Amino acid sequence: MSAPFAFNPLDPETRRDPFALYARGRAEQPLLVHEGLPLPIFSVFHYDDVQAILRDDSIWSNQFDPAFEGTTLYEPEEERTDSMLGLDGEPHHRLRSLVNKAFTPRVIQRREAQMRSNAAALVDAAVAAGEVDLVEALTHPFPVQVIAEIIGIPFEDRKRFKDWSDRVIQDLGLGFFEQPSEESILRSREIFAEMSEYFVPLAQERARDPKQDLLTGLVLAEHEGSKLSHDEMLSMLVLLLVAGNETTTTLIGNAALELMAHPEQMERLRKNPDLMPTAVDEVLRFASPVQFDPRRATRAVTLHGIEIPENGIVLSWIGSANRDEKIFDRAEFFDIARTPNPHLSFGFGVHYCIGANLARLEARIALETLLARTRHIERTDDAPLPLHESPVFRAVSKIPVRLEAA
Ligand code: HEM
């Protein structure tokens, strides 16, 4: 085996274009040991390994506290209530069943008309402006509006909701690599306190006056035999912010970027709008919003001849699995008609993304609206775009574009 190659998930150049390094990982170092980090961290790059780890929750846990205990990264005074994403087994299943029904295809479909009218208003304003930052104009506000409506946040409070969403996600995943800053610790406490202050009266209102929204569902579940505690409800709401907003913003933004970078595919999609579903999945594969999915080993495991100790953390590189030539023909090509396309961008196994149907529909609606109302879309310049701070995402925080009305 050759010497380990340098792979630093925090390096901005790597984050912009990690694909050559992923290919080296798959060819030379299927299990990479990260040196010099405060925790024992490993990376896997093959589709089969990523899928096997996400599938086997008898070994691979989503609860990370035991890995942090005893390290400088641990804050023992901190009281945490894990969201379902950070739970395993029955506690995870219980919380997941409670929200699952809010995200079934049928329930999501009922929101389609409202989603289309939200997208149309945003795109019309952007086209009228001519030159815009697509993130600010469309990709960011649109998913926030959608999830706020699903939860049942009053319209006038959308701004606060968006602000929590931005702050909560800012440095997601950074804690695996470095000591969290004072500012970051304070920020997460502040957000939890602010959200608690905001949602307590709103939840009480729903208990008195139930509505057709997710908040009512959570409140009623809380009341039926105390199924959901107050902190669990808050953690759930924080999770929906974390899991649902930046990811979908990134998907729509990455779709616009890939289509602008592949004008022939943009043309093909304009001429064949029926390709939209496969196009969205191809963006998910080719420019996966979430690049890695971490797990903790609950016992020592040997993989590719290397022992991962109990509590070792493995980063499963979804972004690399999605380019694995053993699974995808011409994996380095962006092909909006690709089928089959078994990408792992929504994860795999028990934690498979609950919002996958919703995210796909949002992306379809946003892109359909954008393409239908424009004749041409282009970047205003070729300057490198600013990266999102969190290493979990392959995302940019600005996409300046010029839009020509249809
Ligand atoms: C393109 C958009 C999205 C991507 C790429 C994405 C990706 C993912 C991934 C990779 C996971 C698995 C995490 C793990 O294995 O630990 C996940 C879980 C989850 N996602 Fe998404 N997601 C997206 C949109 C959404 C939306 C719109 C929602 C809801 C509003 C959502 C809610 C969730 C929740 C609640 C979980 C945790 C499920 C569990 O622990 O059982 N996601 N997502």
Side-chain angles (χ1 to χ4, degrees):
M1 199 175 274
S2 47
F5 62 99
F7 178 61
N8 174 4
L10 301 187
D11 171 52
E13 283 322 301
T14 300
R15 289 186 53 212
R16 263 181 217 290
D17 188 1
F19 301 107
L21 287 175
Y22 291 162
R24 278 194 71 181
R26 293 192 301 274
E28 300 170 19
Q29 208 82 45
L31 184 85
L32 184 81
V33 185
H34 290 268
E35 306 286 353
L37 294 179
L39 299 173
I41 296 206
F42 304 80
S43 279
V44 292
F45 298 100
H46 280 288
Y47 186 99
D48 290 349
D49 288 332
V50 170
Q51 192 182 39
I53 287 175
L54 298 182
R55 174 190 283 132
D56 190 352
D57 62 330
S58 70
I59 301 178
W60 301 104
S61 164
N62 242 4
Q63 273 191 304
F64 295 100
D65 277 5
F68 286 91
E69 271 161 43
T71 74
T72 53
L73 305 173
Y74 192 59
E75 311 149 44
E77 84 283 3
E78 181 115 330
E79 289 258 339
R80 296 163 214 249
T81 299
D82 283 316
S83 74
M84 69 169 148
L85 185 62
L87 292 172
D88 302 326
E90 185 44 39
H92 164 257
H93 179 70
R94 170 182 155 257
L95 291 180
R96 186 167 167 118
S97 320
L98 278 176
V99 279
N100 226 349
K101 50 184 181 297
F103 295 99
T104 59
R106 205 166 44 86
V107 175
I108 300 296
Q109 284 306 325
R110 273 199 247 127
R111 303 201 168 266
E112 182 164 344
Q114 177 69 53
M115 284 160 71
R116 285 199 184 275
S117 99
N118 290 353
L122 293 168
V123 170
D124 281 348
V127 172
E131 277 192 22
V132 290
D133 169 13
L134 201 61
V135 175
E136 200 188 329
L138 175 66
T139 71
H140 194 302
F142 182 50
V144 174
Q145 288 175 356
V146 172
I147 190 73
E149 262 156 27
I150 290 177
I151 293 175
I153 313 273
F155 188 81
E156 58 277 14
D157 297 334
R158 296 287 157 78
K159 271 208 157 48
R160 296 189 71 185
F161 192 67
K162 173 173 175 299
D163 172 60
W164 289 323
S165 174
D166 289 346
R167 280 153 67 210
V168 94
I169 204 84
Q170 199 169 326
D171 45 18
L172 183 77
L174 212 56
F176 286 120
F177 304 100
E178 58 188 38
Q179 181 90 31
S181 65
E182 245 341 273
E183 187 202 331
S184 153
I185 296 167
L186 276 177
R187 187 170 52 233
S188 58
R189 285 189 194 142
E190 260 170 34
I191 299 169
F192 216 78
E194 284 171 29
M195 287 183 67
S196 181
E197 199 180 308
Y198 176 80
F199 277 109
V200 166
L202 206 58
Q204 286 166 348
E205 212 178 289
R206 289 299 192 279
R208 283 193 305 272
D209 180 16
K211 294 209 159 71
Q212 289 280 1
D213 58 27
L214 182 58
L215 188 59
T216 304
L218 296 176
V219 170
L220 293 184
E222 186 180 16
H223 283 209
E224 284 161 20
S226 70
K227 273 199 212 132
L228 201 64
S229 74
H230 166 74
D231 278 3
E232 282 175 330
M233 185 177 84
L234 269 183
S235 293
M236 181 74 82
L237 293 166
V238 174
L239 172 64
L240 293 174
L241 287 183
V242 174
N245 279 338
E246 198 60 40
T247 45
T248 313
T249 292
T250 303
L251 171 59
I252 302 168
N254 286 0
L257 285 170
E258 292 306 337
L259 290 171
M260 288 188 285
H262 300 86
E264 76 297 345
Q265 299 282 334
M266 173 106 81
E267 255 335 281
R268 193 175 171 203
L269 189 55
R270 283 185 185 281
K271 289 197 179 117
N272 305 281
D274 291 356
L275 289 178
M276 191 55 86
T278 50
V280 167
D281 273 281
E282 181 64 344
V283 175
L284 280 158
R285 180 192 76 85
F286 193 79
S288 184
V290 173
Q291 288 288 305
F292 71 81
D293 199 353
R295 288 292 186 271
R296 175 181 63 86
T298 53
R299 58 173 171 78
V301 188
T302 300
L303 205 61
H304 295 289
I306 297 174
E307 185 178 291
I308 298 168
E310 181 182 345
N311 291 331
I313 306 252
V314 176
L315 310 180
S316 289
W317 287 90
I318 290 173
S320 171
N322 286 346
R323 301 279 185 115
D324 191 330
E325 303 77 4
K326 285 206 296 282
I327 307 293
F328 300 98
D329 278 347
R330 296 170 19 110
E332 297 303 322
F333 283 85
F334 177 65
D335 173 3
I336 59 162
R338 182 182 292 275
T339 50
N341 190 347
H343 63 73
L344 297 176
S345 300
F346 289 121
F348 193 81
V350 291
H351 290 281
Y352 181 80
C353 179
I354 235 174
N357 290 318
L358 176 64
R360 283 187 169 110
L361 182 62
E362 284 182 52
R364 267 184 15 226
I365 291 175
L367 293 174
E368 277 165 14
T369 312
L370 191 61
L371 293 187
R373 286 159 195 248
T374 56
R375 199 152 45 91
H376 184 68
I377 309 171
E378 62 182 12
R379 297 253 320 260
T380 49
D381 60 59
D382 292 335
L385 299 170
L387 285 173
H388 191 282
E389 220 170 302
S390 161
V392 172
F393 297 112
R394 184 159 168 273
V396 294
S397 53
K398 271 194 171 51
I399 309 180
V401 290
R402 192 172 300 118
L403 306 170
E404 273 175 43

